[in-house]
Short mmCIF file of all heavy atoms in Angstrom, two decimals:
data_model
loop_
_atom_site.label_atom_id
_atom_site.label_comp_id
_atom_site.label_asym_id
_atom_site.label_seq_id
_atom_site.Cartn_x
_atom_site.Cartn_y
_atom_site.Cartn_z
N ASP A 599 -63.50 -37.99 -71.68
CA ASP A 599 -63.71 -37.15 -72.89
C ASP A 599 -65.22 -37.07 -73.25
O ASP A 599 -65.47 -36.64 -74.40
CB ASP A 599 -62.90 -37.67 -74.06
CG ASP A 599 -61.39 -37.68 -73.76
OD1 ASP A 599 -60.94 -36.81 -73.00
OD2 ASP A 599 -60.69 -38.55 -74.24
N LYS A 607 -84.48 -31.98 -78.27
CA LYS A 607 -85.64 -32.70 -78.78
C LYS A 607 -85.19 -33.87 -79.63
O LYS A 607 -84.28 -33.75 -80.45
CB LYS A 607 -86.50 -31.75 -79.57
CG LYS A 607 -87.82 -32.32 -80.02
CD LYS A 607 -88.63 -31.20 -80.64
CE LYS A 607 -89.86 -31.58 -81.29
NZ LYS A 607 -90.66 -32.54 -81.20
N GLU A 612 -82.94 -39.66 -86.47
CA GLU A 612 -82.01 -38.50 -86.47
C GLU A 612 -80.56 -38.97 -86.54
O GLU A 612 -80.27 -40.05 -86.16
CB GLU A 612 -82.22 -37.68 -85.20
CG GLU A 612 -81.81 -38.38 -83.93
CD GLU A 612 -82.17 -37.66 -82.66
OE1 GLU A 612 -82.75 -36.56 -82.72
OE2 GLU A 612 -81.83 -38.18 -81.57
N THR A 614 -77.48 -38.18 -84.67
CA THR A 614 -77.13 -37.49 -83.42
C THR A 614 -75.86 -36.62 -83.54
O THR A 614 -75.79 -35.57 -82.90
CB THR A 614 -76.96 -38.46 -82.27
OG1 THR A 614 -76.05 -39.45 -82.64
CG2 THR A 614 -78.31 -39.09 -81.85
N GLU A 615 -74.97 -37.00 -84.38
CA GLU A 615 -73.78 -36.18 -84.60
C GLU A 615 -74.16 -34.81 -85.21
O GLU A 615 -73.66 -33.80 -84.81
CB GLU A 615 -72.72 -36.90 -85.44
CG GLU A 615 -71.39 -36.16 -85.46
CD GLU A 615 -70.29 -37.04 -86.05
OE1 GLU A 615 -70.38 -38.24 -86.10
OE2 GLU A 615 -69.27 -36.41 -86.47
N SER A 620 -75.17 -29.06 -84.70
CA SER A 620 -76.12 -27.91 -84.83
C SER A 620 -76.30 -27.23 -83.47
O SER A 620 -76.34 -25.99 -83.40
CB SER A 620 -77.45 -28.41 -85.33
OG SER A 620 -77.36 -28.89 -86.64
N PHE A 621 -76.41 -28.00 -82.42
CA PHE A 621 -76.54 -27.41 -81.09
C PHE A 621 -75.31 -26.55 -80.73
O PHE A 621 -75.44 -25.47 -80.21
CB PHE A 621 -76.72 -28.55 -80.07
CG PHE A 621 -76.96 -28.07 -78.64
CD1 PHE A 621 -78.18 -27.70 -78.24
CD2 PHE A 621 -75.85 -27.93 -77.80
CE1 PHE A 621 -78.38 -27.23 -76.93
CE2 PHE A 621 -76.04 -27.48 -76.49
CZ PHE A 621 -77.31 -27.15 -76.04
N LYS A 625 -76.60 -22.83 -80.38
CA LYS A 625 -76.78 -22.43 -78.93
C LYS A 625 -75.48 -21.99 -78.31
O LYS A 625 -75.51 -21.03 -77.51
CB LYS A 625 -77.33 -23.62 -78.13
CG LYS A 625 -78.62 -24.17 -78.63
CD LYS A 625 -79.76 -23.16 -78.46
CE LYS A 625 -81.07 -23.78 -78.88
NZ LYS A 625 -82.15 -22.78 -78.97
N ILE A 633 -64.28 -29.60 -84.55
CA ILE A 633 -64.50 -30.48 -83.44
C ILE A 633 -64.68 -31.92 -83.98
O ILE A 633 -65.52 -32.16 -84.85
CB ILE A 633 -65.74 -30.10 -82.61
CG1 ILE A 633 -65.51 -28.72 -82.00
CG2 ILE A 633 -66.08 -31.09 -81.58
CD1 ILE A 633 -66.70 -28.08 -81.35
N MET A 641 -78.89 -42.14 -75.08
CA MET A 641 -78.74 -43.14 -74.01
C MET A 641 -80.09 -43.82 -73.68
O MET A 641 -81.06 -43.11 -73.62
CB MET A 641 -78.22 -42.48 -72.72
CG MET A 641 -76.78 -42.07 -72.82
SD MET A 641 -76.20 -41.24 -71.33
CE MET A 641 -76.63 -42.44 -70.07
N ALA A 643 -83.28 -46.78 -73.79
CA ALA A 643 -84.30 -47.18 -74.75
C ALA A 643 -85.26 -46.00 -75.00
O ALA A 643 -85.47 -45.16 -74.14
CB ALA A 643 -85.10 -48.35 -74.20
N ARG A 644 -85.77 -45.92 -76.23
CA ARG A 644 -86.73 -44.89 -76.60
C ARG A 644 -88.00 -45.07 -75.84
O ARG A 644 -88.51 -46.20 -75.73
CB ARG A 644 -86.98 -44.95 -78.07
CG ARG A 644 -87.91 -43.86 -78.58
CD ARG A 644 -88.00 -43.83 -80.07
NE ARG A 644 -86.68 -43.39 -80.55
CZ ARG A 644 -86.26 -43.56 -81.75
NH1 ARG A 644 -87.05 -44.14 -82.61
NH2 ARG A 644 -85.08 -43.15 -82.08
N LYS A 648 -90.57 -38.88 -73.63
CA LYS A 648 -89.35 -38.70 -72.85
C LYS A 648 -88.21 -38.49 -73.74
O LYS A 648 -88.01 -39.19 -74.75
CB LYS A 648 -89.10 -39.95 -72.01
CG LYS A 648 -87.98 -39.84 -71.07
CD LYS A 648 -88.33 -40.48 -69.74
CE LYS A 648 -87.14 -40.36 -68.87
NZ LYS A 648 -87.48 -40.10 -67.49
N ASP A 671 -71.16 -20.92 -69.60
CA ASP A 671 -71.22 -19.51 -69.77
C ASP A 671 -72.50 -19.04 -70.50
O ASP A 671 -73.14 -18.07 -70.14
CB ASP A 671 -70.01 -19.01 -70.60
CG ASP A 671 -68.71 -19.18 -69.84
OD1 ASP A 671 -68.75 -19.33 -68.60
OD2 ASP A 671 -67.62 -19.11 -70.50
#
Side-chain angles (χ1 to χ4, degrees):
D599 300 328
K607 188 173 172 23
E612 68 187 0
T614 52
E615 189 168 339
S620 294
F621 182 85
K625 302 293 184 190
I633 296 170
M641 289 179 53
R644 181 173 294 162
K648 187 140 179 141
D671 292 343

